[in-house]
Amino acid sequence: MTKSLRYSLISAVALVAAGSGLALAEPAAVPALVVAQNEKPASELAPSRFGGHVHALAVNPKTNELFLGARPIYRSGDGGKTWKAVEGIPKTEERANITSISIDPSDAQVMYATGHGVGVVKSTDGGETWEAASAGLDGMSTEGFAIDAKDPSKLYVWVLGTGLYRSNDAAASWQRVDDGPKKQEIRALASANNPTGMGGIWLYAALDTGVMKSPDCFCGWDRLSNAGLPDGRVYSLAVDSSDSKVLYAGLRQGVFKSKDGGQTWAQATDLVEDAVVTVNAAKPNEVYAVGADGTLVSSSDAGANWTKVEDDDVQG
């Protein structure tokens, strides 16, 4: 067979295969994005009226005002019935979105927020104004954030693709301290004042595969049994201020509660999907959770019973 005839036959086969839907062998393609079991891609999360999917929620322990993180931050003074957008959030991307909001339990005027295209931002006037607080971070895409349970000037933040950073001066500067759980991104952090036996306390991490914890000396991450916790991404964590063994976790299936430091879990509510949960530090029986679509529910009895908050339109 001549070379030209051989090439002609190959071309003909390729044309027939393309027309019939048959696949020809090709060089190895770039691997597709792997989504954890029971985890929805961001494109499939329910849309919200807050300009993006909701990823953060916090309650001011002094004023009971709620703060919600989407694109950007919204605040509510009436328990979530009405919301008003907070302007002036420093950002490096036009469509930056908020991934966490934390309020200093010792001084409710001091607040922190993280996000993609945000890094860390800080407010010292109860959320009225915000300033950048990312000095030392190697990246502006941040998710997990926690205020140390014993020292409110000590903070922790996870920078995607980079690692865990700590600040000892209330976000004036940051230093990288840990790689985090092996090959996993941290979606949320929580600090619990439970003795580690090593002179420190525990830092809990929400992952795409459950919950892990590490002593704040960062000498290894312990995988918890996660009994009762569904497979898939854990979107948020919250600690009961009156009992640090009591934890709440937000997942696709709703809110789950642990009474033994994260070893075992039971579902508290399924009224919200892709849940973000927070506890009022001044009233630990008061728990709030919000879904990615902005649906807000609350409990006044530590998660035993929940009520959906009937809201009005968001004010831009």
Side-chain angles (χ1 to χ4, degrees), residues 79-192:
K81 295 180 180 179
T82 59
W83 297 89
K84 184 177 181 180
V86 175
E87 304 295 339
I89 306 296
K91 57 186 179 181
T92 60
E93 299 176 14
E94 180 61 30
R95 292 180 61 78
N97 63 296
I98 301 299
T99 56
S100 75
I101 301 172
S102 300
I103 301 176
D104 187 331
S106 66
D107 183 355
Q109 290 290 97
V110 177
M111 301 178 60
Y112 302 92
T114 64
H116 303 298
V118 174
V120 177
V121 293
K122 179 179 180 179
S123 173
T124 57
D125 55 11
E128 293 292 334
T129 60
W130 297 78
E131 60 183 13
S134 302
L137 295 182
D138 187 18
M140 296 297 287
S141 189
T142 53
E143 289 203 353
F145 186 95
I147 299 173
D148 188 271
K150 293 173 66 176
D151 179 1
S153 65
K154 185 184 294 184
L155 313 170
Y156 306 92
V157 68
W158 178 258
V159 180
L160 289 179
T162 301
L164 187 66
Y165 288 72
R166 179 172 59 200
S167 173
N168 293 311
D169 51 17
S173 63
W174 294 91
Q175 299 79 39
R176 189 180 185 281
V177 292
D178 194 68
D179 293 337
K182 187 177 181 181
K183 297 181 180 179
Q184 296 198 65
E185 299 283 11
I186 292 176
R187 306 303 176 183
L189 288 167
S191 178

Side-chain angles (χ1 to χ4, degrees), residues 7-301:
Y7 285 172
S8 297
L9 288 173
I10 292 173
S11 299
V13 171
L15 288 172
V16 171
S20 62
L22 296 175
L24 296 177
E26 296 180 353
V30 176
L33 176 66
V34 177
V35 179
Q37 184 179 2
N38 288 334
E39 175 202 332
K40 289 194 274 186
S43 60
E44 294 183 13
L45 290 174
S48 82
R49 64 195 190 285
F50 297 100
H53 303 127
V54 178
H55 297 295
L57 186 66
V59 55
N60 187 307
K62 187 174 182 180
T63 66
N64 286 328
E65 187 175 19
L66 290 172
F67 288 83
L68 179 149
R71 191 174 285 138
I73 294 175
Y74 292 80
R75 63 194 304 166
S76 174
D78 55 11
K81 295 180 180 179
T82 59
W83 297 89
K84 184 177 181 180
V86 175
E87 304 295 339
I89 306 296
K91 57 186 179 181
T92 60
E93 299 176 14
E94 180 61 30
R95 292 180 61 78
N97 63 296
I98 301 299
T99 56
S100 75
I101 301 172
S102 300
I103 301 176
D104 187 331
S106 66
D107 183 355
Q109 290 290 97
V110 177
M111 301 178 60
Y112 302 92
T114 64
H116 303 298
V118 174
V120 177
V121 293
K122 179 179 180 179
S123 173
T124 57
D125 55 11
E128 293 292 334
T129 60
W130 297 78
E131 60 183 13
S134 302
L137 295 182
D138 187 18
M140 296 297 287
S141 189
T142 53
E143 289 203 353
F145 186 95
I147 299 173
D148 188 271
K150 293 173 66 176
D151 179 1
S153 65
K154 185 184 294 184
L155 313 170
Y156 306 92
V157 68
W158 178 258
V159 180
L160 289 179
T162 301
L164 187 66
Y165 288 72
R166 179 172 59 200
S167 173
N168 293 311
D169 51 17
S173 63
W174 294 91
Q175 299 79 39
R176 189 180 185 281
V177 292
D178 194 68
D179 293 337
K182 187 177 181 181
K183 297 181 180 179
Q184 296 198 65
E185 299 283 11
I186 292 176
R187 306 303 176 183
L189 288 167
S191 178
N193 190 10
N194 295 323
T196 63
M198 292 170 278
I201 58 178
W202 290 105
L203 192 66
Y204 287 82
L207 310 170
D208 291 347
T209 56
V211 179
M212 295 182 73
K213 68 177 183 177
S214 172
D216 57 2
C217 61
F218 300 111
C219 36
W221 289 84
D222 297 337
R223 178 169 293 282
L224 301 172
S225 65
N226 290 316
L229 207 61
D231 292 337
R233 176 175 294 183
V234 179
Y235 290 94
S236 65
L237 290 171
V239 181
D240 185 324
S241 59
S242 64
D243 184 351
S244 55
K245 288 286 187 180
V246 175
L247 304 174
Y248 297 88
L251 286 86
R252 176 184 177 183
Q253 297 87 344
V255 176
F256 290 75
K257 181 178 180 179
S258 172
K259 297 180 180 180
D260 55 9
Q263 295 295 335
T264 60
W265 300 82
Q267 189 169 44
T269 182
D270 61 359
L271 291 177
V272 289
E273 191 176 48
D274 307 309
V276 179
V277 60
T278 191
V279 178
N280 187 337
K283 304 173 184 176
N285 283 341
E286 190 175 286
V287 187
Y288 292 88
V290 64
D293 63 352
T295 299
L296 180 70
V297 296
S298 65
S299 171
S300 59
D301 52 12

